[in-house]
Each structure stands twice: as C-alpha cells, then as structure tokens.
Amino acid sequence: VYIETNDSGVKSSSLEAVAVASQLSEQMNTTLIGCSFDVNNGLDNLGGYGVTKVLHGLDSKITDKNIIAFAKGIEQVVELTSAEVVIMPNSSLCEAAASRVGIDLDASVKTNVIGIPNTSNGFSVIKGGYTGKALVTYKLEKPIKILTVNKNSIEFTLSEGASTVEKIELDVSSV
C-alpha cells in the first residue's frame, strides 16, 4: 500500500487505503507492506492498521510534480516485494501514476474503487458508474492488480501500533 504523508503525518486518504489493504491482506493471508516516498512523518505508527513494514524510498526526482519518476519508483517496489496487489489513495499523483505502472507491469488497473475487493471468486472490485448513480463490479484477471481507493469510501478506526521503517534505494535516474 502506498502511503502519502504531509507535515501533520499520514494523510487520511492514505489511512483509508491502508484500511482497505489491511482487510484485503487478511482475506488473502498475506503480509501487508507499506511504501512511501514522502517525508517519514508517522510511517512508524502504522502497525495498528496491520502494516508490518514500510519501505521508505527517497530520491530527489520523485516529487508530486514528476509522475514518471513516481511511477518508476512504484514499479521498483512492486518488483522488489513481488507484490500482487498495489493499493494507493486516490490522489492526483497516485491516480495519474496507476495507469502508467499498469502498462509497464502489464497489470489490471482500477481507480476510484469503493470498499474492500472481493476475492471469493477471483478478484473483483466495486466502483461507481453512471455519474455515481450506480455501482459496477469489475473483475480483475491479470496477476498484478493496481487500485486507487475512492476518498471517503471506507470507514476506519484510528489505531496505534509500531511498524518497522526500512530505507530502500531507488533508481529513477533514467527518467
């Protein structure tokens, strides 16, 4: 799960993404690993949400104004962790990067997802359709799935607990 931070700590939209990722990792019986390229502000307090480890990568080229470098950083983390599902908040940066990452990794991509993906019969997600007047279920079939979570679409409870923050080196010099 990608985690955005600011001066106040972890953004609430990222906590929503973490809540979705936490419940999904329980369904899939996998370990929840976080990732952030932002300033380490609150990343070590996500253990209560089920995040065991946060990979913290810093590179001067990865900024909210450089979507290509951001996408390359996400791709490197996916390859490093062999992630099957990547969940991000639906920010302008993450939404723009999701399609780029999906193309490069040949992944299924769905933005503005509502709620927890259903894994009982494959992998499906719900998203609003028809200008928000209907809910549409999409089945994602590729081995890697990239999702952005619609803001205010899931309730989460603030929870405390430690998570390990591990610095990683990223190489986006080709961008």
Side-chain angles (χ1 to χ4, degrees):
V1 62
Y2 184 76
I3 302 157
E4 293 180 315
T5 65
N6 57 25
D7 293 338
S8 303
V10 176
K11 293 182 178 181
S12 62
S13 59
S14 285
L15 292 176
E16 291 177 30
V18 168
V20 169
S22 178
Q23 292 182 44
L24 181 62
S25 70
E26 285 180 26
Q27 278 183 35
M28 297 177 70
N29 197 28
T30 60
T31 303
L32 177 55
I33 298 174
C35 165
S36 184
F37 306 144
D38 291 337
V39 183
N40 180 359
N41 191 356
L43 297 176
D44 53 353
N45 293 323
L46 295 169
Y49 297 98
V51 179
T52 55
K53 175 171 52 174
V54 178
L55 302 177
H56 188 228
L58 288 175
D59 186 296
S60 60
K61 284 191 172 184
I62 300 177
T63 67
D64 59 356
K65 294 176 179 63
N66 191 340
I67 293 167
I68 297 170
F70 177 82
K72 288 294 178 197
I74 293 290
E75 290 170 27
Q76 289 176 30
V77 171
V78 170
E79 291 167 354
L80 175 71
T81 60
S82 301
E84 295 176 15
V85 181
V86 177
I87 298 178
M88 300 186 279
N90 196 55
S91 65
S92 57
L93 176 64
C94 291
E95 187 174 20
S99 296
R100 198 173 266 288
V101 173
I103 290 168
D104 287 349
L105 297 179
D106 190 31
S108 294
V109 176
K110 198 50 68 185
T111 59
N112 286 311
V113 170
I114 299 170
I116 313 302
N118 184 338
T119 59
S120 63
N121 186 19
F123 193 100
S124 59
V125 296
I126 296 174
K127 178 178 173 170
Y130 306 104
T131 65
K133 295 181 176 153
L135 297 177
V136 182
T137 301
Y138 295 91
K139 189 168 186 174
L140 306 181
E141 297 180 341
K142 293 187 177 181
I144 299 174
K145 289 108 176 123
I146 314 273
L147 310 174
T148 66
V149 177
N150 196 13
K151 293 177 184 173
N152 303 316
S153 67
I154 185 168
E155 290 185 32
F156 63 94
T157 309
L158 294 176
S159 184
E160 299 242 347
S163 53
T164 305
V165 178
E166 179 182 316
K167 291 189 184 279
I168 57 171
E169 295 292 322
L170 300 170
D171 181 13
V172 295
S173 58
S174 63
V175 176

